[in-house]
Amino acid sequence: LSSQIAILEKNIFDKCGTKFNIASPKQLGDVLFVKMALLEKPKKTKSGQFSTSESELLKLKGKHSIIDDILLFRTYQKLLSTYVKTLPLLIDDQDKKIHTTFNQTITNTGRLSSKNPNLQNIPIRKNAGKDVRKAFVASSLDYTLMAPDYSQIELRLIAEFSQEKNMMDAFLNNKDIHAITASKVFKVDLKDVTNEMRANAKTVNFGIIYGVSAFGLSEQSTLSRKDSAVLIEEYFKTYPRLKLYVDKQILIAKQNGYVKSILGRMRYLRNINSRNSFIRSHDERNAVNMPIQGSAADMTKRAMLDLWNEGYVPYVQVHDELDLAVSNKKEDKPTIVTLP
C-alpha cells in the first residue's frame, strides 16, 4: 500500500505540475479548481473553501485522469491508516484475538454499532480492501467465520407494515424488487429495464425509508431535481399504500410524540409539532425511518440470540396492530405480545 501511495502521489504531482499536500482539502481544492480550473463554479463548504468530498470528486470523473488517482490515493491511505497499521495494535495480548465492542445504546434506532475495531465497515469492494478482509480468520480449524444476513430486511418490513401488495408480491415470488420498481415507475417492460433505471429505482426504494426529497434523490442518482420529483410522484402512484403508511406514521408521531419499533423500542420526537418546517421535517423523516430501521435492528439482535441459543427458533408474525408472536422452542405454543 505504501509503495502504491508513493506511485499515485508522483502521478498526481506530474499531472498538476506542482507538489502539495494531497490530504489537505484546502490545498487539493486550490489545485483542482484554481490552478487546473476543472469546474467553472465549484461547490464550497460552510467555511468558504472548495469542497473536495468524495461525492464532489466523483462528479468530476472523466474530466481529468487526476481524479481517479486522487480517489485511489484516498482509498489506499484510509486502508493503511485505519486498518493495516491499526488492527495489529488491537490484538489482545493474552489470546491473540480481536475483540470488538458492540454498543447497544448509541444509535437512536437501536442498531448495534461497533468500535475498537469497527467490524461493520471492513472494506470489501476493491482488491486492496479484500486483502484486508482476508486478514480476519477463524481462531483454529475447529471454528468457522459465519456471516448470516437478512435479504433487504428494511424493504421487506416497509412492505409488511404498509401492506403494499405490489411490493409484497415481488418479495414473495423472489423477484428483483428494484427492477420491478423501475419497470413500473418508468413504464417499461421488465426486460427493457436498463442498469441505470434499476440503479435509480434502487435509490428511491431505499431513500423512501429515509424520507428522501427530490433534491436528495438528484444528489444520489443520475437524475435532475425535476426528474427526481417526477420519479418520486410515480413511485407513490405505483405503491399507494406506502404513501398511506408514511402519512400515518407522521400522524401517529404528532399525536403521541414518539414512534416504536416492532419490539417496543421508543424514540421520542420532540420537534414533530414544531412550527419551524425545517426542524419539523427532520422529525417527520425519523417518524417513518425509526420503526423500520429499529424493527430491523430488533429482529437482527433477536436472530443473534437465537443463533447463540442453539435449538431456539423464532416465529414472527406482524399484523396491522403490530402483534408479535415469538416461539422459543419448536414444540412451544407461540407467546403473543401485543404492542400498542
Side-chain angles (χ1 to χ4, degrees), residues 152 155 166-167 170-171 174-206 231 235 238-239:
Q152 298 173 330
L155 280 180
N166 288 334
M167 191 173 274
F171 282 124
N174 285 323
K175 293 180 180 177
D176 183 339
I177 185 66
H178 303 311
I180 286 176
T181 299
S183 170
K184 290 180 181 296
V185 298
F186 290 113
K187 296 180 171 58
V188 297
D189 287 337
L190 197 58
K191 64 180 182 352
D192 295 326
V193 171
T194 64
N195 289 337
E196 185 179 356
M197 286 178 181
R198 185 186 181 279
N200 287 331
K202 182 178 180 179
T203 303
V204 184
N205 271 334
F206 286 113
L231 181 55
Y235 183 89
T238 302
Y239 300 127

Side-chain angles (χ1 to χ4, degrees), residues 148-160:
D149 195 9
Y150 280 113
S151 168
Q152 298 173 330
I153 183 171
E154 291 178 350
L155 280 180
R156 292 175 189 271
L157 279 167
I158 198 171
E160 176 69 31

Side-chain angles (χ1 to χ4, degrees), residues 108-111 157 161 245 249 258-267 286-299 301 318 321-324 337-340:
N108 287 315
T109 58
R111 295 181 75 169
L157 279 167
F161 288 168
Y245 170 76
Q249 278 302 116
Y258 61 82
V259 287
K260 282 187 174 185
S261 70
I262 195 172
L263 291 185
R265 180 184 177 88
M266 298 166 68
R267 179 169 185 180
N286 284 327
V288 178
N289 167 245
M290 188 276 172
I292 299 163
Q293 197 175 93
S295 297
D298 288 349
M299 293 174 68
K301 287 190 282 190
V318 185
E321 300 80 25
L322 290 186
D323 288 347
L324 179 69
V337 182
T338 303
L339 305 180

Side-chain angles (χ1 to χ4, degrees), residues 203 212-221 225 228:
T203 303
V212 71
S213 63
F215 173 74
L217 180 58
S218 66
E219 288 285 294
Q220 300 170 46
S221 68
R225 196 179 304 186
S228 295

